[in-house]
Amino acid sequence: MVREKVTVSTRTLEWKCVESRVDSRRLYYGRFILSPLMKGQADTIGIAMRRALFAEIEGTCITRAKFEKIPHEYSTIVGIEESIHEILMNLKEIVLRSNLYGTCNASISVKGPGCVTAQDIILPPSVEIVDNTQHIANLTEPINLRIQLEIERNRGYHIKTPNNFQDGSYPIDAVFMPVRNANYSIHSYGNGNEKQEILFLEIWTNGSLTPKEALHEASRNLIDLFIPFLHPEEENFHFENNQHKGTLHHRLAKLRKTKTEIALKSIFLDHSELKSIFIDQFELPPRIYNCLKRSNIHTLLELLNKSKEDLMKIEHFRIEDIKQILDIIKIEKAFLPRNQFEIHSI
């Protein structure tokens, strides 16, 4: 455990970790302070941060397991102490750390007798196990246990549904949230109208992230959500003699319905308008959206200023993704600057 004396600055807003400890391989604790805050600000930040810690951080879980010749989830196998349901519950408890996008496959292939633990899982290079001692099953006879696993990185939690059962595989309830608990408290000091506040924030994680890492990621994701509000609202674009006004989504829907595409110049008049349109407004697939955001591409102007070669340097980005982006935003080659990627050259 690490403890530090709390000191309050009266000049600039500062944050500090005042306590950190590791209770177990799957339970980390951290306590942070932010000060000095004006009256009421601690509640504003505390509520937003607690929500972001739970909902805006991605985690990695096993989401599906496939056994050989198993009729249903509550079956038992001769030579294994646990039922299939109990094995699924043990797989659910395994904590993973990764930087993967989407899903990947893993497997277990063990011959008994012996105890099967998380260290027996054969993983891709991008995934690692936080606690290798997690129990999975106990084999009492010399039998082979083979399980195909599906691993996914996502946020929030997913509950299995009956229609998720397919070809002998079983979905697993997934809790992707690395933060197990988060609390905040407020300490006020000063007199009368000069009162100020200190925000105390406590974070418990499952070990895939430290509390400090969780705080950084939640803050970064929360800031991303507010970036659009930092730009002044532009005048609504007009179609058909100014009779129709609407969002970018409606404008693109209008384009899809017309037999001939309206020139890009008639929609995006100058760079200032391109700069005010964010990629969040397009219906991009989650993987493509995350790749662009992680490369600090937030607006349509930033996207158009990238060449095809620039985009292909982004990790996990594919040539098909560029085609999909172009199809979504309906950009014609003739109206793109020369230094930008071209539709017909892909």
Side-chain angles (χ1 to χ4, degrees), residues 253-265:
K254 181 69 177 178
L255 282 177
R256 294 189 185 102
K257 292 179 181 178
T258 57
K259 293 182 178 179
T260 57
E261 296 183 356
I262 300 174
L264 182 66
K265 288 183 180 179

Side-chain angles (χ1 to χ4, degrees), residues 63-118:
T63 55
R64 187 174 290 274
K66 182 177 182 180
F67 299 82
E68 295 181 352
K69 300 178 181 179
I70 301 299
H72 55 80
E73 181 181 352
Y74 297 97
S75 301
T76 58
I77 302 176
V78 177
I80 302 180
E81 285 187 2
E82 294 82 3
S83 67
I84 298 301
H85 177 74
E86 290 172 324
I87 293 176
L88 293 175
M89 292 301 100
N90 291 336
L91 291 172
K92 177 182 176 180
E93 295 298 319
I94 294 175
V95 178
L96 302 172
R97 181 190 295 115
S98 80
N99 59 357
L100 69 88
Y101 291 87
T103 63
C104 66
N105 297 321
S107 64
I108 298 175
S109 183
V110 180
K111 184 175 182 179
C115 183
V116 183
T117 62

Side-chain angles (χ1 to χ4, degrees), residues 201-218:
L201 189 62
E202 294 180 289
I203 303 172
W204 290 261
T205 68
N206 63 2
S208 61
L209 290 177
T210 66
K212 186 176 181 179
E213 290 171 336
L215 184 62
H216 286 176
E217 185 167 343

Side-chain angles (χ1 to χ4, degrees), residues 57-65 91-92 94-107 121 123-124 126-128 148-160 164 166 170-178 206 208 286-287 290 294:
I57 302 180
E58 293 184 343
T60 306
C61 292
I62 298 173
T63 55
R64 187 174 290 274
L91 291 172
K92 177 182 176 180
I94 294 175
V95 178
L96 302 172
R97 181 190 295 115
S98 80
N99 59 357
L100 69 88
Y101 291 87
T103 63
C104 66
N105 297 321
S107 64
I121 301 177
L123 294 167
S126 59
V127 183
E128 60 179 293
Q148 299 296 320
L149 304 174
E150 186 176 280
I151 296 173
E152 181 180 350
R153 181 178 175 85
N154 213 316
R155 64 180 62 184
Y157 60 91
H158 292 180
I159 299 177
K160 63 183 179 181
N164 280 338
Q166 50 186 261
Y170 302 92
I172 301 173
D173 292 342
V175 181
F176 293 105
M177 300 177 290
N206 63 2
S208 61
R287 186 182 61 78
N290 289 332
R294 292 180 188 276

Side-chain angles (χ1 to χ4, degrees), residues 304 321-331 336 341-343 346:
L304 296 181
D321 299 334
I322 299 178
K323 295 180 181 179
Q324 193 168 1
I325 291 173
L326 292 176
D327 182 62
I328 291 173
I329 62 178
K330 297 289 183 183
I331 294 178
L336 289 177
F341 52 82
E342 300 178 348
I343 291 177
I346 298 177

Side-chain angles (χ1 to χ4, degrees), residues 65-333:
K66 182 177 182 180
F67 299 82
E68 295 181 352
K69 300 178 181 179
I70 301 299
H72 55 80
E73 181 181 352
Y74 297 97
S75 301
T76 58
I77 302 176
V78 177
I80 302 180
E81 285 187 2
E82 294 82 3
S83 67
I84 298 301
H85 177 74
E86 290 172 324
I87 293 176
L88 293 175
M89 292 301 100
N90 291 336
L91 291 172
K92 177 182 176 180
E93 295 298 319
I94 294 175
V95 178
L96 302 172
R97 181 190 295 115
S98 80
N99 59 357
L100 69 88
Y101 291 87
T103 63
C104 66
N105 297 321
S107 64
I108 298 175
S109 183
V110 180
K111 184 175 182 179
C115 183
V116 183
T117 62
Q119 69 179 354
D120 295 309
I121 301 177
I122 303 171
L123 294 167
S126 59
V127 183
E128 60 179 293
I129 297 172
V130 172
D131 184 5
N132 285 325
T133 64
Q134 169 63 39
H135 177 76
I136 297 177
N138 189 28
L139 309 184
T140 58
E141 297 182 14
I143 63 171
N144 292 321
L145 175 64
R146 293 187 177 90
I147 310 174
Q148 299 296 320
L149 304 174
E150 186 176 280
I151 296 173
E152 181 180 350
R153 181 178 175 85
N154 213 316
R155 64 180 62 184
Y157 60 91
H158 292 180
I159 299 177
K160 63 183 179 181
T161 56
N163 60 357
N164 280 338
F165 294 84
Q166 50 186 261
D167 57 29
S169 65
Y170 302 92
I172 301 173
D173 292 342
V175 181
F176 293 105
M177 300 177 290
V179 175
R180 289 293 181 244
N181 195 13
N183 293 324
Y184 76 93
S185 57
I186 301 169
H187 172 71
S188 298
Y189 63 96
N191 297 317
N193 294 330
E194 299 297 324
K195 277 192 174 181
Q196 293 181 313
E197 296 177 339
I198 305 175
L199 174 65
F200 289 84
L201 189 62
E202 294 180 289
I203 303 172
W204 290 261
T205 68
N206 63 2
S208 61
L209 290 177
T210 66
K212 186 176 181 179
E213 290 171 336
L215 184 62
H216 286 176
E217 185 167 343
S219 302
R220 185 168 56 247
N221 292 341
L222 191 60
I223 291 171
D224 285 344
L225 293 175
F226 286 97
I227 284 178
F229 296 107
L230 299 178
H231 298 266
E233 183 181 3
E234 297 290 330
E235 292 184 5
N236 289 327
F237 297 106
H238 301 268
F239 287 101
E240 300 177 2
N241 298 325
N242 298 330
Q243 292 180 0
H244 299 283
K245 298 181 180 180
T247 63
L248 179 66
H249 174 74
H250 295 134
R251 297 197 299 276
L252 292 180
K254 181 69 177 178
L255 282 177
R256 294 189 185 102
K257 292 179 181 178
T258 57
K259 293 182 178 179
T260 57
E261 296 183 356
I262 300 174
L264 182 66
K265 288 183 180 179
S266 68
I267 304 173
F268 304 123
L269 302 179
D270 53 40
H271 277 202
S272 65
E273 291 183 351
L274 291 172
K275 189 175 181 181
S276 69
I277 298 174
F278 293 82
I279 63 172
D280 309 66
Q281 296 172 262
F282 297 97
E283 297 178 357
L284 295 173
R287 186 182 61 78
I288 297 178
Y289 173 80
N290 289 332
C291 286
L292 295 177
K293 295 289 281 189
R294 292 180 188 276
S295 299
N296 292 319
I297 299 175
H298 303 287
T299 67
L300 183 59
L301 179 61
E302 292 171 342
L303 176 59
L304 296 181
N305 281 334
K306 297 291 184 182
S307 66
K308 181 177 69 175
E309 290 73 20
D310 292 334
L311 292 177
M312 291 307 299
K313 292 178 182 179
I314 299 176
E315 188 177 7
H316 304 296
F317 211 81
R318 303 175 301 196
I319 190 69
E320 294 82 4
D321 299 334
I322 299 178
K323 295 180 181 179
Q324 193 168 1
I325 291 173
L326 292 176
D327 182 62
I328 291 173
I329 62 178
K330 297 289 183 183
I331 294 178
E332 289 189 357
K333 173 185 177 182

